[in-house]
């Protein structure tokens, strides 16, 4: 544990791009979108070895920089059940999302991970739950949609997906305690190495990116696609379609 003075310095900055300032700003924005109501959801940002995490059980639109937890990633040991913090705010509890955030940072080299309780994400998992005819119930798939272009092709691969590509987001089952989701999230990462998100049945979604900008962009793009998918289902429009190409691909 860092000294009291040095610990406080970890979250004190006038720079709006500092993680301790960005997390409250992002969570307030997510609250307006209905993603983190009732203290649910959260966000974490990695800055070199330091990981900044929103606390548990706090109204996300009211979070301040002094509410943020900070830990050293190098100081943690998998499976991250016993964690040490460089800074722990008084009167708060560490987020149970923490080991899932750390999985994104270590397994995907992400710079930011966002967890939402978006209604559209939950509804998509319910629609998939109704389809028990095959593996399709455990993965969300959609193609031929412009917003798919907001996603990269995967870890270590150049460029983004194209309009005609198929976006696949795996679904894992919910658990009574959130940190127990970690091994299932990691298994989904292994099975779908190019994914930037994992849905949690009847719960929400985890989305990560190389940095805050990419994680936020992908989270917004996913929510748009989830809402679109729910409305498409109402109209009997399939999520996977055959659309003819009307122009050549460009490098």
């Amino acid at each position: 544990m860092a000294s009291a003075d040095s610990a406080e310095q970890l979250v004190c900055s006038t720079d709006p791009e500092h993680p301790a300032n960005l997390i409250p700003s992002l969570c307030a924005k997510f609250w307006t979108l209905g993603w983190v109501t009732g203290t649910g959801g959260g966000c974490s940002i990695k800055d070199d070895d330091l990981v900044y995490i929103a606390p548990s059980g706090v109204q996300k639109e009211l979070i301040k920089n002094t509410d943020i937890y900070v830990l050293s990633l190098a100081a943690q040991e998998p499976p991250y059940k016993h964690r040490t913090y460089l800074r722990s705010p008084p009167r708060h509890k560490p987020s149970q999302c923490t080991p899932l955030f750390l999985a994104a940072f270590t397994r995907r080299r992400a710079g930011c991970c966002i967890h939402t309780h978006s209604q559209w994400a939950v509804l998509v998992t319910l629609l998939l739950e109704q389809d028990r005819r095959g593996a399709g119930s455990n993965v969300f798939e959609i193609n031929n949609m412009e917003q798919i272009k907001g996603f990269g092709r995967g870890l270590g691969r150049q460029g983004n997906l194209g309009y005609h590509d198929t976006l696949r987001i795996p679904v894992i089952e919910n658990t009574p305690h959130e940190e127990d989701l970690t091994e299932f999230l990691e298994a989904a990462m292994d099975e779908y190495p190019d994914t930037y998100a994992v849905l949690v049945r009847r719960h929400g979604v985890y989305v990560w990116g190389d940095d805050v900008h990419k994680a936020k962009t992908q989270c917004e793009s996913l929510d748009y696609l989830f809402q679109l998918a729910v409305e498409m289902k109402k109209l009997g429009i399939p999520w996977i379609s055959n659309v003819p190409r009307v122009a050549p691909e460009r490098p």
Side-chain angles (χ1 to χ4, degrees):
M1 178 69 70
S3 68
D5 288 342
S6 61
E8 290 310 300
Q9 288 302 311
L10 292 172
V11 297
C12 293
S13 173
T14 58
D15 182 1
E17 298 298 311
H18 188 280
N21 296 327
L22 267 179
I23 290 176
S25 176
L26 287 171
C27 285
K29 174 65 175 176
F30 298 157
W31 181 82
T32 66
L33 297 171
W35 291 358
V36 293
T37 54
T39 79
C43 179
S44 181
I45 297 173
K46 178 178 175 292
D47 182 18
D48 291 328
D49 178 56
L50 296 180
V51 174
Y52 296 78
I53 310 161
S56 176
V58 178
Q59 300 289 333
K60 294 301 186 290
E61 77 278 19
L62 301 179
I63 289 177
K64 305 181 294 296
N65 65 307
T66 51
D67 297 324
I68 302 299
Y69 281 82
V70 186
L71 58 75
S72 162
L73 186 58
Q76 314 308 311
E77 294 185 6
Y80 310 121
K81 290 186 179 295
H82 305 287
R83 302 176 294 274
T84 58
Y85 293 86
L86 297 174
R87 182 185 188 275
S88 297
R91 299 182 300 280
H92 290 325
K93 296 187 299 183
S95 172
Q96 283 208 2
C97 301
T98 301
L100 292 97
F101 292 148
L102 298 185
F105 298 145
T106 56
R107 288 174 171 258
R108 288 294 187 271
R109 301 200 294 273
C112 176
C113 188
I114 297 166
H115 173 45
T116 85
H117 287 188
S118 160
Q119 294 182 32
W120 301 114
V122 173
L123 284 170
V124 161
T125 70
L126 292 175
L127 290 172
L128 290 168
E129 184 178 62
Q130 292 179 337
D131 180 10
R132 291 297 186 182
R133 291 169 293 179
S137 63
N138 293 321
V139 59
F140 169 72
E141 296 181 296
I142 193 167
N143 67 354
N144 297 312
M145 291 293 171
E146 181 70 10
Q147 208 72 14
I148 291 170
K149 291 158 66 174
F151 297 86
R153 292 192 173 275
L155 182 64
R157 302 176 66 185
Q158 296 295 317
N160 281 21
L161 294 175
Y163 159 68
H164 289 291
D165 287 325
T166 298
L167 177 70
R168 295 181 177 88
I169 307 297
V171 184
I172 61 176
E173 302 302 326
N174 199 24
T175 56
H177 299 283
E178 191 147 8
E179 63 182 16
D180 292 336
L181 289 167
T182 308
E183 63 180 289
F184 302 106
L185 179 131
E186 291 175 339
M189 287 177 167
D190 291 342
E191 186 174 357
Y192 295 88
D194 295 332
T195 191
Y196 286 91
V198 171
L199 282 157
V200 183
R201 187 98 63 196
R202 297 172 173 263
H203 182 152
V205 65
Y206 282 84
V207 185
W208 56 86
D210 294 342
D211 52 36
V212 173
H213 171 74
K214 290 184 179 179
K216 178 176 177 289
T217 297
Q218 290 173 167
C219 203
E220 292 171 345
S221 296
L222 260 188
D223 208 60
Y224 170 91
L225 289 168
F226 291 154
Q227 181 175 359
L228 196 64
V230 172
E231 297 300 328
M232 289 170 71
K233 193 75 170 182
K234 291 179 185 177
L235 298 170
I237 302 172
W239 298 342
I240 297 293
S241 58
N242 293 316
V243 175
R245 295 174 182 265
V246 297
E249 293 289 339
R250 295 186 181 183

